[in-house]
Structures are given as structure tokens and as C-alpha cells.
Amino acid sequence: MRVLGSLHPLFGRTPICHNLDRRKSNMHHEALNYMEVGVVRETLPGERRVALVPAVVPALVKTGLEVVVEAGAGAAAGFPDELFRSRGAKIASSRAEALAAGALLQVRALGCNPEAGRADLVALRPGQVVIGMCEPLWNPQAAAELAKTGVTLFALELIPRITRAQSMDVLSSMATLAGYRSVLLAATTLGKMFPMLTTAAGTVTPAKVFIVGAGVAGLQAIATARRLGAVVSAYDVRPAAKEQVQSLGAKFVEMPLDTAAAEGKGGYAQAMDEEFYGRQRELMTRVVAEHDVVITTAAIPGQKAPVLITREMVDHMPPGSVIVDIAERGGNCELTRPGETLQQGNVTILGPTNLPADVPLHASQMFAKNITTLLAHLVRDGKFPLDMTDEITRETLVARDGQVVHPRVRAALGL
Ligand code: NAD
């Protein structure tokens, strides 16, 4: 227990009490009186993460919450029941018991677990709080289904990208892991090594890696590929990305495109028109053809990812090249099949869909930090006052009292 505890220095501190203390007492609120926090085993096939790790349990218990964990929930991430128990969690004898908690914490609520997630709907009840990832803008129907059960639903994807919410930002945590893993996948698939080596058997030239999209995942991919010794280039439509790419020792690929309007609210990219993407593809054709590895991460929040790599571009890549397409929602390469690895001529195209689950221990550790920071923000004295004047609460609250209440999710549903 001591050894694992030392692996999680992040959770040695307890931000919860601090946050609770500084709450204003005069806000308008509706109190929901629930004291139990439930954690269930994730049911999406291949999902190895767990929403809480043992190290965060003591801080939750200290604030008066009882933590109930389904038996085996943390096993695939490297957190056995005994460790949860030793930190003060109760191990539930059945899934139903953990699902009955007043506040249910999940990595993947229904929208992110469209088939297996449906089985839990019957166990949910009015007023229960559900916090997890649920893709409410991409899969608003699932949010509507959850709303029908009467739960109070918070979507982690909607955490606003503001400074005080940074430690709740699950998208950034998971993108960091995805960027790291994408490079490892490319390195083990490519028939070349990444570093340059001068040996008695001759000189090995370094692999050339091109990263499309230099957001959180892309920047981590650049750093990882550089650590492995590759020569790295990158491109992003947001002008601010250039300096970040260069600061990691990669080359920023210049393209004569009008990107003045490419950055929108919260530092995200804005969707551009098809004429822009057509021109971008044209300009990228030569760059793609010069690289052994292309890792694509370009995304627009809540929308289908732009197609930036065409079949023709793939056909011009060197034999043995690898594309790892981690852009969510369709991918950036027109040939990508999400969840599959395919061969197009001599090029291998990988479309992994859940890279953070391949690093389940650290992914769960980061996720747990994010979700407990949000929980600490939302809970006061073991209750959930819904302070709608608070930006974080307002932006993440998707459903309550049987209704989808988030304006953007309502718009996505045509309401
Ligand atoms: P994302 O996953 O939505 O997109 C990934 C990247 O793809 C982005 O950098 C985007 O600009 C890029 N992209 C979109 N269309 C493209 C195209 N046609 N060609 C090339 N690249 C394209 O974004 P993300 O990684 O989650 O975040 C993007 C930025 O948001 C970060 O770099 C950062 O500046 C900002 N951010 C702010 C906070 C905060 O303030 N708390 C937290 C995280 C991120």
C-alpha cells in the first residue's frame, strides 16, 4: 500500500476541504442530499480505466462522503479491491449496490458506452447524480435517455477551458496519454527505428514523423517522438501552435493558408469551410509523401474531424509508412476505419479509438484527480447544491429533473 501510495503524489494533498471551505454561503441552490459515491466496473469492451483510484479515497471520506466500489472495478487498471478497502472504500457485493450510490462516478456513462452502458439505465433513479464522460454533443440522444431516468448528469467533456478548471480537464489528461501512445504504436509498427544510429554495421537514418494537429495530444506526440530520436515536423491551423511546436524541438510546417479566424473560444480550432480543407490537403500532399510516420490528431469540438489525408496522399507515401489516426469521430484520413488496422498498398493505417485505456494506471490516476476536483467543486457538506451562477456547474450540467437542460445539448437534440 505504501509503495502504490508513493506513486500518486498528486493525491497526497486534499483540495476538497479547501474548496469546500471557500464556498460562498449565500448562493441560490437546490440541495440534493446524497452521501455515497459509487464507482462501477467499466463495461465498454477493452476499457481498463476506473473512475477513482485508492489514493483519492481518504480525501473523499474526510469530507463525509462514503465511497462504494464495485468488486473488481480497479483490477484492470492495477488497483485491487484490497487497496481500495485499505484506503477507506467499501467494496460492494454487487454492481447494483455501487450503482445505487447517490453520486455515481464513471469513466464512460451511456453516451460513451452506447451498447453495454444501456444495461445500467434501469438501475438509475431520479435525483441521483451521475458524473462521467458521455459525449453529450456528439451523442445527445444518449444524454436524453439518461435525462429520462431523472438523474442529474454532469458531462466531463464540457468542463470549460478556464484556468480554475484546469485540474478537472479530463480531455487534456486523456489527450496527453493518447498522444504518447500513438507514437509508441507508430514506432512498433514501422519497419524502421526512430533514432539515428551510427554503428559498425552502418548508419541508420532517423525516422521522419509528421504530426497533424498540435493541440494537447499532438504536442505530447511531438515530445514522445523526439525522445525516441525521430525528426519531427508538425502543423496546426491555430497560429499560436507554431511557437509551442518549435519549443519542443520540432519543425513547424508553414502553409500559405488564411488561418486568422482558425482559433475560436477556449483555445479550440474553429471549423473551416471545404475550400480551406481542400487547399490544406493540396499543400500537405508533398509533406505527407516525405514522412515515414503521420500521426493525425486534428479535431473540432463536437463535430466530425476534418478529412486531411486522402487515399491519393496515402498512395504517395514511402513503402512501409505508417499513419496513426487518433482524431476522434471519423478520423483525419479518409481510409481510417475506427478501431481497425488496415493496409493500403504498402502503408499501414491504424485507427485506435481508446488509447488512454492502454495506459490504465496513469490514465485512472489522472482521471481520478480530475473527477474528484470537480466533485469537490460541486459538493458541499455531502450535498450537491446546484449553483447555476457558477460557470463550471452551469457548463457541465447536462440534465436534471427529467430534462436535458444544457442549451447546446438541447440544440443538438433540436429542442
Ligand atoms: P482538439 O482535440 O479539439 O484538437 C486538436 C488540435 O487539432 C487542435 O490544436 C486544433 O487546433 C487542431 N486542428 C483542428 N483543425 C485542424 C486542421 N485542419 N489542421 C491542423 N490542425 C487542426 O484540441 P485540444 O488539443 O483539446 O486543445 C486545443 C488547444 O486548447 C490547446 O492547445 C490549448 O491551447 C487549449 N487548451 C486550453 C486549456 C485551458 O485553458 N484550460 C486546456 C486545454 C487546452
Side-chain angles (χ1 to χ4, degrees):
M1 183 185 100
R2 224 156 39 83
V3 176
L4 272 174
S6 68
L7 278 175
H8 309 306
L10 273 177
F11 302 121
R13 282 165 264 133
T14 55
I16 289 173
C17 302
H18 170 72
N19 283 350
L20 299 182
D21 287 345
R22 65 175 166 68
R23 290 286 142 68
K24 289 175 194 159
S25 58
N26 60 345
M27 62 192 174
H28 303 290
H29 69 261
E30 174 192 328
L32 297 166
N33 187 6
Y34 292 114
M35 300 295 286
E36 276 187 345
V37 172
V39 175
V40 283
R41 189 176 47 79
E42 294 294 320
T43 53
L44 182 87
E47 183 52 81
R48 294 160 70 199
R49 291 170 291 177
V50 60
L52 284 189
V53 298
V56 302
V57 173
L60 296 176
V61 171
K62 210 171 156 187
T63 60
L65 298 165
E66 190 179 347
V67 180
V68 184
V69 180
E70 180 185 356
F79 302 104
D81 292 347
E82 197 38 51
L83 207 50
F84 275 106
R85 200 180 279 122
S86 69
R87 292 299 182 101
K90 178 181 171 201
I91 301 300
S93 51
S94 67
R95 182 175 182 85
E97 188 187 339
L99 278 171
L104 186 61
L105 308 186
Q106 290 184 284
V107 175
R108 291 176 178 272
L110 183 60
C112 277
N113 186 10
E115 284 160 31
R118 190 146 281 116
D120 291 335
L121 280 176
V122 288
L124 303 178
R125 62 170 196 277
Q128 184 177 19
V129 172
V130 176
I131 308 177
M133 295 195 291
C134 60
E135 293 276 19
L137 295 174
W138 183 245
N139 194 352
Q141 291 302 341
E145 279 184 73
L146 280 167
K148 260 195 227 155
T149 67
V151 298
T152 300
L153 174 67
F154 292 93
L156 293 169
E157 295 93 336
L158 299 180
I159 297 273
R161 285 194 146 171
I162 54 177
T163 307
R164 70 191 172 98
Q166 263 177 357
S167 51
M168 308 172 192
D169 187 354
V170 165
L171 289 186
S172 287
S173 307
M174 298 304 121
T176 300
L177 295 157
Y180 165 78
R181 282 296 296 186
S182 67
V183 172
L184 299 192
L185 268 186
T188 52
T189 307
L190 188 70
K192 294 180 174 183
M193 289 196 297
F194 269 30
M196 188 185 102
L197 292 182
T198 307
T199 77
T203 298
V204 171
T205 55
K208 294 179 77 181
V209 176
F210 179 39
I211 315 275
V212 185
V216 181
L219 291 174
Q220 187 54 235
I222 293 171
T224 307
R226 289 269 301 150
R227 285 186 200 113
L228 286 177
V231 173
V232 185
S233 304
Y235 177 73
D236 197 297
V237 278
R238 290 179 300 106
K242 178 177 176 177
E243 204 184 309
Q244 293 161 1
V245 166
Q246 289 172 337
S247 73
L248 290 169
K251 182 181 157 206
F252 187 81
V253 175
E254 300 283 356
M255 291 188 204
L257 287 164
D258 181 6
T259 56
E263 183 156 337
K265 198 173 156 246
Y268 284 117
Q270 298 261 53
M272 310 299 272
D273 59 18
E274 202 27 56
E275 192 186 335
F276 180 97
Y277 291 133
R279 177 87 183 115
Q280 182 179 352
R281 286 191 289 267
E282 220 175 280
L283 292 164
M284 278 190 2
T285 299
R286 182 189 52 78
V287 186
V288 168
E290 288 169 352
H291 286 82
D292 303 303
V293 169
V294 177
I295 294 176
T296 61
T297 75
I300 310 291
Q303 296 188 26
K304 196 173 175 308
V307 173
L308 302 173
I309 314 264
T310 60
R311 176 187 296 263
E312 201 192 342
M313 290 159 82
V314 174
D315 289 340
H316 284 90
M317 289 182 77
S321 305
V322 175
I323 295 175
V324 182
D325 189 349
I326 66 168
E328 287 187 358
R329 304 182 194 97
N332 291 138
C333 174
E334 72 170 338
L335 300 173
T336 303
R337 284 198 220 120
E340 291 182 29
T341 297
L342 60 97
Q343 211 62 40
Q344 165 73 9
N346 277 317
V347 179
T348 307
I349 303 172
L350 295 93
T353 51
N354 195 6
L355 287 175
D358 291 341
V359 208
L361 192 147
H362 277 150
S364 303
Q365 178 184 314
M366 293 167 90
F367 190 94
K369 167 70 179 171
N370 295 143
I371 201 168
T372 50
T373 308
L374 175 64
L375 190 65
H377 186 78
L378 298 173
V379 170
R380 192 178 58 190
D381 301 331
K383 296 173 187 167
F384 283 87
L386 301 178
D387 176 9
M388 299 306 281
T389 64
D390 169 61
E391 185 181 359
I392 297 173
T393 308
R394 198 174 56 242
E395 289 290 317
T396 53
L397 180 66
V398 171
R400 66 188 285 201
D401 301 331
Q403 304 289 326
V404 171
V405 293
H406 194 286
R408 279 193 291 154
V409 183
R410 287 183 67 82
L413 285 164
L415 298 172

